[in-house]
Amino acid sequence: MKVISAKHLNEIHQIVQSGRVLTDESDRYSYSFDGSFGTFLPDVVIQTKSVQELAELIKLANREGIPVYPRGQATSLSGGPLPVHGGMVFDLSVMDDVLEIDEEDLVAVVSPGVLTASIHKAAEEKGLMYPPDPSSSHVSTIGGNLAENSGGPRGLKYGVTKDYVIGLEVITPEGDIIQTGGKTVKNVTGYDLTKLIVGSEGTLGIITKAILRLIPKPPATASLMAEFINLVDAGRAISKILSSGILPSKMELMDRASIIAVENYQPMGLPVDAEAILLLELDGHPLALKDEIVKAEQLCMSVGANKVKIPKNNNEKEEIWKARKLVSPAIVRIKPTKISEDATVPRSRIPDMCERLQQIKEKYQIHLVVFGHAGDGNLHPNIICDKNDEDEMARVEKAVTEIFTAAIELGGTLSGEHGIGTMKAPFMEMELGKAGLDMMKRIKEAWDPNHIMNPGKIFPEPGQKLELK
Amino acid sequence: MKVISAKHLNEIHQIVQSGRVLTDESDRYSYSFDGSFGTFLPDVVIQTKSVQELAELIKLANREGIPVYPRGQATSLSGGPLPVHGGMVFDLSVMDDVLEIDEEDLVAVVSPGVLTASIHKAAEEKGLMYPPDPSSSHVSTIGGNLAENSGGPRGLKYGVTKDYVIGLEVITPEGDIIQTGGKTVKNVTGYDLTKLIVGSEGTLGIITKAILRLIPKPPATASLMAEFINLVDAGRAISKILSSGILPSKMELMDRASIIAVENYQPMGLPVDAEAILLLELDGHPLALKDEIVKAEQLCMSVGANKVKIPKNNNEKEEIWKARKLVSPAIVRIKPTKISEDATVPRSRIPDMCERLQQIKEKYQIHLVVFGHAGDGNLHPNIICDKNDEDEMARVEKAVTEIFTAAIELGGTLSGEHGIGTMKAPFMEMELGKAGLDMMKRIKEAWDPNHIMNPGKIFPEPGQKLELK
């Protein structure tokens, strides 16, 4: 689907003076996929650090109706950066030169290509913390995190990416460069374009700079692992702890299938007969943690935990968290294709959601593993399959559809942190209703009348269905 | 400026079956002003708890081009609820029947007429906390707080109203009832309409229900009052404390003019020769606070505090906070008119902003008192004047304009928490630039093509200037 002519290409070469224009098929192929499904070859890939050049390219694209796709490291699990209609890919991972930590104002100023883990490190060197920590933080760019509004295990206590973005520099779909927000935590001057653009998955503009809020780094952490024979008891433990005045920084759950997968992958003495493991991290003042971790242990025991383990030192602490970290590598050993969902429910509905997931697993005879951020209701039901097995994939597509339906029926949402992209677009109206989806479309139409910014994402195209190929 | 005909009124009466339609001039007069300037008589005032009836009224308004103004308790300091073009006022303070605290999911579900203080109380009874605490919380509705994205002293640690809103029920400007977000903290399904509508000052729809995120109530608080001979040292104390890993729940500043005003109003031994008082509140685990409050004291002394007072019990604690609470009542004793600004700067620029304010005070010979939320850069320069003194008010108008300019030049914003309303609309382009303001207008146009929702707010009308009358 070639949408760029030789004349366009000539103009692109004239605009991009400081960077590179990639047109070889082998180069373009590297930009045709992401962490989800499907392969779509872009016509051209642009690498430049110049905001001005990008703005000129967007003016060209807007004039000529050429699709533009911003892209970071393409770890997206929902298809965000896929160039589904051909056109130009902007490789923003090259824009990695700004990473300033402003200790006085407790903010970081970053360019979109900086890795999120680099921001964590730079902040920590100054005794500060950038709380959002998606599991991909060592390989994903902050630009991608901003586009998708990434979450992570710290969501319950600290919120998500959006909660830490207070200012942006953005190129609009018509090529204007605008500033939103600023360096102040409080700002009510007009509509909140910052929080509208964060999470809009590249459909409303290109983020070329961001101002992130930082907080003082909590001086200490404490952890705990609790085993439960019944999943429902793990849910009760979560509620008990939260209503006791303790707000953990992480509350992670692993179901029996994930426990078994990890234990088969790397034996570490996990309880393969337990229905659930709950992993807790508290952070704060060391004196407070000393008291709170014992209280959390007692609360777990009081609702029927089989065993609670409090690590005594850093080595032991790393050991218990290793179990959670190994889930992803362990499950891809079972079968080659992993579909990581992030349908999210209100915390109190986690036991119901787990029951629904169990039913779906049996109905469609799929390999389903459930783990994730129990504290904020953001479970990750992962389906392990083989994308070359057509019969299995047909069952998987049906199972995924039912997972979305279950989440919405339980008062939850299609996506907690992975985004809509191409994969979940067909389900948008189910959650938002016709009028709700229409209000979103109006914003898109008003900002991007020629539909050039990341087309094919978020909004379903006529007759679009889920396809896992 | 009558825009409602007898035919319209007849239709309004037919729609409003469960509530009241007020048309007497004496009734309407009570709805003609707010906490800012100007008096504008609406044609009709509607009181109903029925979302369906309100939606029907908006359909009528949209069809006939009748302005609609949502209104809570009208404590607005920027003109948000003023019916500047006549039409219908919706008195949403009557919608006060829903206030549910969901302990399992850590959320509150509220209708817009509930007082914010009632939410605080209901949450605390369950061991939970709704952190946003604008100073008006005992008299303002949550609906007003949502429309204006209210702040308060806890902004530094806990953020503002928007940070706690995860779902809304909204009537669109064309009369559709939509749901945004839900009961999950994580939700990335499409554009974030929730955070777009919160803070849009009633220009994008009518909020008829909200889902608010709650947190476990911190078990203890500790306070401290520090006196500084030099204002710059108070600024250094703030930075020192924050970079030491302590994140106070409140950090309030009072300048010499406010200290003197309070001491004249109610003598309580405040240091009238100090340039600044810094008031700190920490919250969290009692063991942590015991340690941190001493550390904060040492940090204040290390940067030249004249004296630090740590209250030993609740009575003493109330005593030191009384000084801050008395600023507002104290200053209105000086002259009858109080203009409370909320121009906000990055925290590190507070000393610069204080210097600029001092220059403006001298240049225009005005009575200027500065106090407010120093931790998040949200100072409140208050001008005390007499609105019947034309000569003085002309100088005040110029001074206010210069305060806005100073805030923006220092990298700050026109409004940290009071909103734009009518008062600051003329200054929007100065902060946002032409393209930035245009992107906001496009959203308004797309959602409200007939300009019926709270017209005259946020966006400047041709030739509009600041008027304090």
Side-chain angles (χ1 to χ4, degrees):
Chain A
M1 188 186 336
K2 215 157 173 74
V3 292
I4 290 188
S5 67
K7 187 174 148 281
H8 295 148
L9 208 55
N10 192 29
E11 199 170 336
I12 291 169
H13 276 288
Q14 278 175 358
I15 292 170
V16 183
Q17 292 296 322
S18 72
R20 296 172 68 198
V21 178
L22 309 178
T23 51
D24 280 359
E25 183 162 343
S26 58
D27 285 335
R28 289 185 289 130
Y29 181 74
S30 323
Y31 293 87
S32 66
F33 53 86
D34 68 359
S36 72
F37 289 84
T39 310
F40 305 88
L41 209 59
D43 294 322
V44 60
V45 176
I46 318 290
Q47 293 181 324
T48 174
K49 289 173 194 270
S50 162
V51 177
Q52 206 54 53
E53 287 176 10
L54 292 176
E56 289 304 316
L57 289 171
I58 290 182
K59 280 181 186 160
L60 162 67
N62 184 49
R63 198 182 70 221
E64 302 288 329
I66 301 168
V68 173
Y69 311 88
R71 182 185 178 98
Q73 291 278 21
T75 56
S76 175
L77 296 170
S78 58
L82 293 178
V84 293
H85 293 312
M88 287 192 263
V89 164
F90 287 0
D91 177 2
L92 300 173
S93 71
V94 303
M95 268 194 160
D96 61 353
D97 42 345
V98 181
L99 171 48
E100 298 160 13
I101 304 292
D102 180 339
E103 292 166 83
E104 288 281 307
D105 290 329
L106 290 185
V107 298
V109 180
V110 298
S111 47
V114 172
L115 293 186
T116 307
S118 307
I119 303 173
H120 289 149
K121 191 164 164 278
E124 277 176 28
E125 282 169 5
K126 306 262 172 116
L128 302 174
M129 174 160 95
Y130 171 65
D133 63 339
S135 307
S136 61
S137 61
H138 282 86
V139 287
S140 63
T141 64
I142 186 68
N145 289 188
L146 294 164
E148 300 293 325
N149 188 22
S150 302
R154 290 197 191 123
L156 166 68
K157 178 165 183 176
Y158 290 109
V160 294
T161 299
K162 181 171 296 186
D163 298 311
Y164 294 86
V165 191
I166 56 174
L168 293 175
E169 180 184 78
V170 176
I171 311 174
T172 71
E174 291 177 336
D176 286 315
I177 300 166
I178 63 169
Q179 317 288 331
T180 73
K183 277 195 173 184
T184 61
V185 176
K186 286 178 175 170
N187 182 325
V188 294
T189 298
Y191 300 155
D192 196 334
L193 300 188
T194 308
K195 293 195 194 316
L196 176 65
I197 292 165
V198 173
S200 66
E201 308 194 19
T203 63
L204 295 178
I206 307 271
I207 297 170
T208 51
K209 200 176 279 180
I211 303 173
L212 308 173
R213 184 166 69 86
L214 305 175
I215 62 169
K217 185 174 152 60
T221 64
S223 294
L224 168 162
M225 178 192 268
E227 304 171 11
F228 293 88
I229 296 300
N230 297 308
L231 188 69
V232 173
D233 293 338
R236 285 167 60 210
I238 293 170
S239 296
K240 274 266 185 185
I241 290 166
L242 290 172
S243 63
S244 77
I246 298 172
L247 186 58
S249 46
K250 297 182 188 172
M251 273 188 142
E252 295 288 302
L253 186 85
M254 288 169 61
D255 77 344
R256 182 180 286 167
S258 11
I259 298 169
I260 293 173
V262 171
E263 197 58 21
N264 286 343
Y265 178 64
Q266 193 173 115
M268 53 197 297
L270 295 180
V272 290
D273 52 343
E275 255 193 22
I277 285 177
L278 195 62
L279 283 159
L280 246 64
E281 185 191 80
L282 310 180
D283 66 3
H285 193 282
L287 292 174
L289 296 189
K290 221 170 158 176
D291 176 55
E292 286 180 349
I293 200 77
V294 174
K295 208 164 148 193
E297 179 186 25
Q298 289 163 352
L299 291 168
C300 286
M301 294 307 287
S302 77
V303 296
N306 207 29
K307 191 177 156 190
V308 178
K309 187 175 172 183
I310 299 178
K312 299 275 172 295
N313 52 48
N314 275 341
N315 280 351
E316 284 184 31
K317 207 186 276 182
E318 273 170 33
E319 189 67 21
I320 70 162
W321 284 100
K322 199 174 159 190
R324 171 66 181 84
K325 284 210 182 94
L326 287 179
V327 178
S328 280
I331 59 181
V332 289
R333 287 268 294 248
I334 302 171
K335 282 188 181 181
T337 308
K338 179 175 75 123
I339 296 164
S340 176
E341 280 314 328
D342 65 328
T344 300
V345 295
R347 186 184 310 108
S348 64
R349 310 308 296 270
I350 284 182
D352 297 328
M353 185 65 179
C354 287
E355 208 182 305
R356 293 286 290 266
L357 290 171
Q358 202 55 39
Q359 289 163 2
I360 293 167
K361 179 179 180 169
E362 282 159 22
K363 181 170 170 189
Y364 294 106
Q365 291 294 306
I366 50 167
H367 202 111
L368 184 71
V369 176
V370 181
F371 58 96
H373 321 313
D376 54 28
N378 179 205
L379 293 178
H380 290 305
N382 273 242
I383 302 175
I384 315 306
C385 48
D386 179 350
K387 69 175 171 181
N388 298 313
D389 181 340
E390 274 186 33
D391 174 62
E392 183 181 32
M393 292 312 284
R395 281 180 284 123
V396 168
E397 283 176 5
K398 283 183 192 149
V400 168
T401 304
E402 279 199 30
I403 291 173
F404 294 152
T405 311
I408 291 171
E409 282 175 4
L410 292 170
T413 179
L414 287 176
S415 180
E417 56 183 21
H418 294 169
I420 299 300
T422 51
M423 272 182 78
K424 290 171 211 161
F427 306 95
M428 287 288 275
E429 194 171 321
M430 175 165 81
E431 176 168 343
L432 301 168
K434 209 172 151 54
L437 185 58
D438 176 55
M439 296 318 271
M440 291 187 188
K441 278 186 187 161
R442 289 185 190 202
I443 297 172
K444 171 70 176 174
E445 283 290 331
W447 277 41
D448 182 17
N450 298 320
H451 308 112
I452 61 153
M453 285 302 312
N454 210 7
K457 313 302 160 63
I458 298 187
F459 301 107
E461 304 194 332
Q464 191 184 338
K465 283 195 184 140
L466 174 70
E467 278 185 60
L468 302 173
K469 281 174 196 154
Chain B
M1 189 187 332
K2 215 156 173 75
V3 293
I4 290 188
S5 67
K7 188 174 147 282
H8 295 149
L9 206 55
N10 193 27
E11 198 169 338
I12 291 169
H13 275 288
Q14 279 175 357
I15 293 170
V16 182
Q17 293 296 321
S18 72
R20 296 173 68 200
V21 178
L22 309 178
T23 52
D24 279 0
E25 183 162 344
S26 58
D27 286 335
R28 289 185 290 129
Y29 181 74
S30 324
Y31 292 87
S32 66
F33 52 87
D34 67 0
S36 72
F37 290 83
T39 310
F40 305 88
L41 209 58
D43 294 321
V44 60
V45 176
I46 317 291
Q47 294 180 325
T48 174
K49 289 173 195 271
S50 162
V51 177
Q52 206 54 53
E53 287 176 10
L54 292 176
E56 289 304 315
L57 289 172
I58 289 182
K59 280 179 188 161
L60 161 68
N62 184 49
R63 199 182 70 222
E64 302 288 329
I66 301 168
V68 173
Y69 311 88
R71 182 186 178 97
Q73 290 279 21
T75 55
S76 176
L77 297 171
S78 57
L82 293 177
V84 292
H85 293 313
M88 289 193 261
V89 164
F90 287 181
D91 177 3
L92 301 173
S93 71
V94 302
M95 267 194 161
D96 60 353
D97 41 346
V98 181
L99 172 49
E100 298 160 14
I101 304 292
D102 180 339
E103 292 166 82
E104 287 280 306
D105 290 329
L106 291 185
V107 298
V109 180
V110 298
S111 47
V114 171
L115 293 185
T116 307
S118 307
I119 302 173
H120 289 150
K121 190 163 165 278
E124 277 177 26
E125 282 168 6
K126 306 262 172 119
L128 301 174
M129 175 160 96
Y130 171 65
D133 64 337
S135 307
S136 61
S137 61
H138 282 85
V139 287
S140 63
T141 63
I142 186 69
N145 290 186
L146 293 165
E148 300 293 325
N149 188 21
S150 302
R154 290 197 191 122
L156 165 69
K157 179 167 182 177
Y158 290 108
V160 294
T161 299
K162 179 170 297 186
D163 299 311
Y164 294 87
V165 192
I166 56 174
L168 294 175
E169 180 185 78
V170 176
I171 310 174
T172 72
E174 291 176 336
D176 286 315
I177 301 166
I178 64 170
Q179 317 288 332
T180 73
K183 277 195 173 184
T184 62
V185 175
K186 287 178 176 169
N187 182 325
V188 294
T189 298
Y191 300 156
D192 196 334
L193 300 187
T194 308
K195 292 196 195 313
L196 176 65
I197 292 165
V198 173
S200 67
E201 307 194 20
T203 64
L204 295 178
I206 307 271
I207 297 169
T208 51
K209 200 175 278 181
I211 303 173
L212 309 173
R213 185 166 67 86
L214 305 175
I215 62 169
K217 184 174 153 59
T221 64
S223 294
L224 168 161
M225 178 192 267
E227 304 171 10
F228 294 89
I229 296 301
N230 297 308
L231 187 70
V232 173
D233 293 339
R236 285 168 58 210
I238 293 170
S239 295
K240 274 266 184 185
I241 290 166
L242 289 172
S243 62
S244 77
I246 299 172
L247 185 58
S249 47
K250 298 181 188 171
M251 275 188 141
E252 296 288 302
L253 186 85
M254 288 169 61
D255 77 343
R256 184 179 285 168
S258 9
I259 299 168
I260 292 172
V262 171
E263 197 59 20
N264 286 342
Y265 177 64
Q266 192 173 117
M268 53 197 294
L270 294 179
V272 291
D273 52 343
E275 254 192 23
I277 285 177
L278 195 62
L279 282 160
L280 246 64
E281 185 191 80
L282 311 180
D283 66 4
H285 192 282
L287 293 173
L289 297 189
K290 221 170 155 175
D291 176 55
E292 286 180 348
I293 200 77
V294 174
K295 208 165 148 192
E297 178 186 25
Q298 290 163 351
L299 291 168
C300 287
M301 294 306 287
S302 78
V303 294
N306 207 29
K307 192 177 154 189
V308 178
K309 188 175 171 183
I310 299 176
K312 298 275 172 295
N313 52 49
N314 275 341
N315 280 351
E316 285 184 30
K317 207 186 276 182
E318 273 171 34
E319 189 67 20
I320 71 162
W321 284 100
K322 200 173 158 190
R324 171 67 181 83
K325 284 208 182 94
L326 287 179
V327 178
S328 280
I331 58 182
V332 289
R333 288 265 296 245
I334 302 170
K335 283 188 180 180
T337 308
K338 180 174 76 120
I339 295 162
S340 177
E341 281 313 328
D342 64 327
T344 300
V345 294
R347 186 184 310 107
S348 64
R349 310 308 296 269
I350 285 182
D352 297 330
M353 185 65 180
C354 287
E355 207 182 305
R356 293 286 288 266
L357 290 171
Q358 202 55 40
Q359 289 163 2
I360 293 167
K361 180 179 180 168
E362 281 159 22
K363 181 171 172 188
Y364 295 106
Q365 291 294 306
I366 50 167
H367 202 111
L368 184 71
V369 177
V370 181
F371 57 96
H373 321 313
D376 54 29
N378 180 205
L379 293 179
H380 290 305
N382 272 242
I383 302 174
I384 314 305
C385 49
D386 180 350
K387 68 174 170 181
N388 298 313
D389 181 339
E390 274 185 33
D391 174 61
E392 184 181 31
M393 292 312 282
R395 281 181 284 123
V396 168
E397 283 175 5
K398 284 183 190 147
V400 168
T401 305
E402 279 200 29
I403 290 173
F404 294 151
T405 311
I408 290 171
E409 283 175 3
L410 292 170
T413 180
L414 287 175
S415 180
E417 58 183 20
H418 293 171
I420 299 299
T422 52
M423 273 181 76
K424 290 170 212 162
F427 305 96
M428 287 288 275
E429 194 171 321
M430 176 165 79
E431 177 169 342
L432 301 168
K434 208 171 151 57
L437 185 58
D438 177 56
M439 296 318 270
M440 291 187 188
K441 277 185 187 161
R442 289 185 191 203
I443 297 172
K444 171 69 176 174
E445 283 290 330
W447 278 41
D448 182 16
N450 298 319
H451 308 112
I452 61 152
M453 285 302 313
N454 211 7
K457 312 302 160 64
I458 297 187
F459 300 108
E461 303 192 333
Q464 191 183 338
K465 283 195 183 142
L466 174 70
E467 278 186 59
L468 303 173
K469 281 175 198 150

